[in-house]
């Protein structure tokens, strides 16, 4: 199963979601398409999920981390993906930025593979949270939104230091279950 994690908005939580999923899935390999090399450099310290090349990727689950920009190159990865996860922080700048990745998905007729995953959600929910979610629902009816939301948690913030744990681990397991990722 090929899972591409994408959003051209920098800092939306792509690399965090890639590592958290990789921590919880069996037989997993990660491909780092981002020249920033968050996961490649991170693996030197953590010894977790050292990325492989496309040729070396033979595991049951292959997760792609992608850079904070969009365009032709990324579209070719969407083309063969089973799932495109789009982590989105529930703010107005992030709402506006979603358009680019959704346009890319629609361009390759892969909107049905896209899933928005609300990330770094804080409680109590504020007015912006409700407004942005309503706007995402009305503007992107063709893109699924995961019911499982990822909270603002230290278990995610420390993903480059230690494997996902605590409530963050429970949320990732819930996301994996909801999206039927474990075949
Ligand atoms: N759910 C969360 N809870 C707490 N912190 C989070 C969460 N998700 C992401 N972060 C933090 O937000 C920052 C950006 O996350 P991350 O590097 O995963 O984003 P990115 O989309 O990969 O960024 P880039 O576009 O630069 O590659 C990091 O400091 C990360 O620890
Ligand atoms: Mg990243």
């Amino acid at each position: 199963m090929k899972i591409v994690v994408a959003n051209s908005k920098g800092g939306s939580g792509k690399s965090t979601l890639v590592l958290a999923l990789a921590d919880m899935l069996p037989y997993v390999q990660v491909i780092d398409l981002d020249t920033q090399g968050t996961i490649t450099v991170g693996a030197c310290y953590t010894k977790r999920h050292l990325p492989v090349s496309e040729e070396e990727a033979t595991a049951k689950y292959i997760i792609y981390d992608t850079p904070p920009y969009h365009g032709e190159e990324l579209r070719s990865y969407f083309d063969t993906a089973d799932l495109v996860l789009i982590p989105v922080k529930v703010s107005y700048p992030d709402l506006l930025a979603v358009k680019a990745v959704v346009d890319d998905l629609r361009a390759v007729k892969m909107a049905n593979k896209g899933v928005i995953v609300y990330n770094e959600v804080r409680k109590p929910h504020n007015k912006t949270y409700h407004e942005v979610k309503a706007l995402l629902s009305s503007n992107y009816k063709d893109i699924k939104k995961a019911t499982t939301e990822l909270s603002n948690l230290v278990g995610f913030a420390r993903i480059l230091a230690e494997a996902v744990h605590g409530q963050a681990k429970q949320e990732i397991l819930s996301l994996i279950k909801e999206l039927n990722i474990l075949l």
Side-chain angles (χ1 to χ4, degrees):
M1 175 184 260
K2 277 193 188 181
I3 303 171
V4 177
V5 180
N7 184 341
S8 48
K9 180 85 165 62
S12 54
K14 299 176 287 295
S15 303
T16 302
L17 181 54
V18 168
L19 286 176
L21 286 170
D23 283 338
M24 286 301 118
L25 289 171
Y27 318 114
V28 69
Q29 285 173 311
V30 169
I31 293 182
D32 189 358
L33 298 176
D34 185 2
T35 50
Q36 291 182 105
T38 306
I39 296 193
T40 307
V41 178
C44 299
Y45 297 98
T46 63
K47 312 294 179 209
R48 284 164 39 235
H49 315 305
L50 183 67
V52 298
S53 66
E54 290 257 45
E55 298 71 44
E56 293 165 328
T58 53
K60 187 169 178 185
Y61 299 98
I62 316 274
I63 312 180
Y64 291 74
D65 191 23
T66 65
Y69 52 77
H70 68 110
E72 287 300 323
E73 195 191 318
L74 219 48
R75 286 183 191 183
S76 67
Y77 290 97
F78 292 164
D79 232 359
T80 57
D82 296 293
L83 199 56
V84 178
L85 299 182
I86 309 166
V88 176
K89 294 186 182 177
V90 196
S91 72
Y92 275 95
D94 287 70
L95 164 73
L96 303 184
V98 165
K99 186 176 182 312
V101 65
V102 171
D103 283 350
D104 280 341
L105 272 173
R106 287 173 176 162
V108 290
K109 303 204 180 330
M110 292 290 283
N112 61 329
K113 304 283 180 190
V115 181
I116 288 176
V117 180
Y118 299 114
N119 185 36
E120 228 181 291
V121 173
R122 288 153 207 266
K123 284 188 181 157
H125 297 146
N126 58 19
K127 188 177 171 189
T128 302
Y129 170 91
H130 294 292
E131 286 174 0
V132 167
K133 274 184 69 169
L135 285 164
L136 283 165
S137 289
S138 56
N139 284 290
Y140 303 110
K141 289 197 170 72
D142 52 341
I143 308 285
K144 182 181 163 89
K145 290 100 190 156
T147 309
T148 305
E149 301 185 359
L150 307 181
S151 306
N152 178 37
L153 292 168
V154 72
F156 289 122
R158 284 184 50 77
I159 201 86
L160 283 167
E162 54 190 327
V164 69
H165 62 278
Q167 192 188 327
K169 177 176 169 179
Q170 296 314 314
E171 292 181 356
I172 288 297
L173 289 174
S174 165
L175 186 68
I176 288 171
K177 190 169 177 214
E178 179 190 345
L179 300 180
N180 283 318
I181 290 176
L182 274 179
L183 303 172

